[in-house]
Amino acid sequence: MTTMIQMHNVSWVRGARAILHDITWEVNEGEHWAILGLNGSGKTSLLNIITGYQYPTRGEVEVLGYRFGRASLPEMRRHIGFVSSALDQFHDTLQTETVEDVVVSGKFATIGLYDAITGEDRDKAEALMESFRLQAVKGKRYATLSQGEKRKTLIARALMADPALLILDEPTVGLDLWAREQMLSLIAPIAARPCHVLYVTHYIEEIVEPITHVLLLRDGRVAAAGRKEDVLTDERLSEAFQLNIRVHWEDGRPWVSVRR
């Protein structure tokens, strides 16, 4: 079995403060993971390490066969798709682009188009737009889209380069209930590709059926990691979220209530 992500005793220290403590975690081929935890639990720092933008203070990391300290991290990043609110920093450039140009730019991992585009590139972007139900906004400026349409456009953009790993960092933030469910319905076709999903969220009910495993963080440590049915228990979630939580399952999807 191919290992997609492997971390062994990974810690990260910022100044005098330890943010991550002895993280040992493995993602194998065919697995799709959700990453859960309270604010400050270490989710963002973990993503920064996975994408090679932050180097661990201690420990060993290998992502997609690239071992940190021995391999080219910029080369590794070419195989990772990333959708996050961090892309908002490119807001001014994105606003002026058409939807299809935003999608095509994913081939080059750029915001804006600066390279020659082939007919094959356009055809691939069209197919992705169709897959993500974006045909109705073809030719429109990104600035005119709804929040849900913008999020789908960015996911299509991330898939343009056929990444082996797709990181969705809280992709439903700011969406209403209908748009959220539309977004979550896209995870199944993404998971059906030769692409492994890391889905970062605060909301347990967003762990839809195609997501197979959960990494639960608390205070920069692994509270639990494994198949979602084993991790998403009343006891483990209550401890991690410091609330009296009860979990029930419907159609392979967990829902929680808080007991007073």
Side-chain angles (χ1 to χ4, degrees):
M1 181 180 292
T2 303
T3 301
M4 311 306 292
I5 299 173
Q6 189 170 44
M7 294 187 173
H8 182 67
N9 292 338
V10 168
S11 297
W12 186 65
V13 178
R14 181 175 61 193
R17 183 185 172 202
I19 308 298
L20 297 175
H21 307 263
D22 297 321
I23 301 290
T24 294
W25 176 47
E26 191 172 282
V27 174
N28 293 308
E29 187 175 13
E31 298 174 352
H32 304 284
W33 285 72
I35 301 175
L36 286 176
L38 293 171
N39 287 336
S41 62
K43 299 188 299 298
T44 299
S45 296
L46 188 71
L47 293 185
N48 287 339
I49 290 175
I50 292 169
T51 52
Y53 289 108
Q54 197 164 274
Y55 209 84
T57 306
R58 293 184 298 276
E60 300 176 357
V61 180
E62 184 174 305
V63 177
L64 303 178
Y66 293 83
R67 184 171 291 276
F68 285 30
R70 301 181 188 175
S72 167
L73 298 188
E75 172 66 24
M76 176 197 75
R77 291 188 202 109
R78 292 177 56 191
H79 304 284
I80 299 175
F82 188 61
V83 177
S84 167
S85 58
L87 292 173
D88 289 346
Q89 65 184 299
F90 303 108
H91 175 271
D92 291 344
T93 301
L94 284 170
Q95 296 295 72
T96 63
E97 300 287 325
T98 63
V99 173
E100 50 267 42
D101 282 353
V102 172
V103 174
V104 170
S105 71
K107 175 184 177 180
F108 310 100
T110 60
I111 302 294
L113 284 175
Y114 311 99
D115 298 90
I117 305 302
T118 67
E120 185 178 349
D121 294 334
R122 290 293 183 192
D123 290 344
K124 185 174 182 178
E126 292 264 357
L128 282 166
M129 290 175 64
E130 184 174 354
S131 296
F132 288 90
R133 307 167 199 145
L134 290 167
Q135 306 98 311
V137 295
K138 181 181 177 181
K140 292 188 176 181
R141 298 289 175 184
Y142 183 84
T144 67
L145 304 186
S146 68
Q147 286 300 316
E149 290 166 343
K150 287 180 178 179
R151 216 62 53 85
K152 289 193 289 185
T153 298
L154 293 178
I155 294 175
R157 174 187 174 276
L159 291 173
M160 187 71 191
D162 296 319
L165 180 66
L166 176 64
I167 299 173
L168 300 176
D169 184 14
E170 300 187 42
T172 65
V173 168
L175 302 186
D176 61 30
L177 183 59
W178 184 89
R180 184 188 78 161
E181 292 303 310
Q182 289 289 304
M183 177 68 59
L184 293 174
S185 73
L186 301 176
I187 294 177
I190 293 170
R193 295 169 173 266
C195 178
H196 295 76
V197 175
L198 293 186
Y199 187 91
V200 183
T201 182
H202 289 290
Y203 303 107
I204 295 156
E205 66 272 15
E206 293 185 359
I207 301 175
V208 291
E209 191 169 9
I211 296 174
T212 57
H213 291 67
V214 172
L215 173 66
L216 183 60
L217 297 175
R218 182 180 180 188
D219 298 328
R221 304 178 188 273
V222 175
R227 295 198 65 83
K228 62 183 178 183
E229 296 85 358
D230 299 326
V231 173
L232 300 177
T233 65
D234 296 0
E235 295 77 12
R236 283 179 166 155
L237 291 175
S238 295
E239 182 177 0
F241 288 96
Q242 302 169 44
L243 290 167
N244 190 7
I245 289 175
R246 180 171 57 193
V247 184
H248 68 278
W249 294 79
E250 293 181 18
D251 299 323
R253 185 172 171 182
W255 299 83
V256 299
S257 56
V258 178
R259 292 180 289 189
R260 300 295 181 184

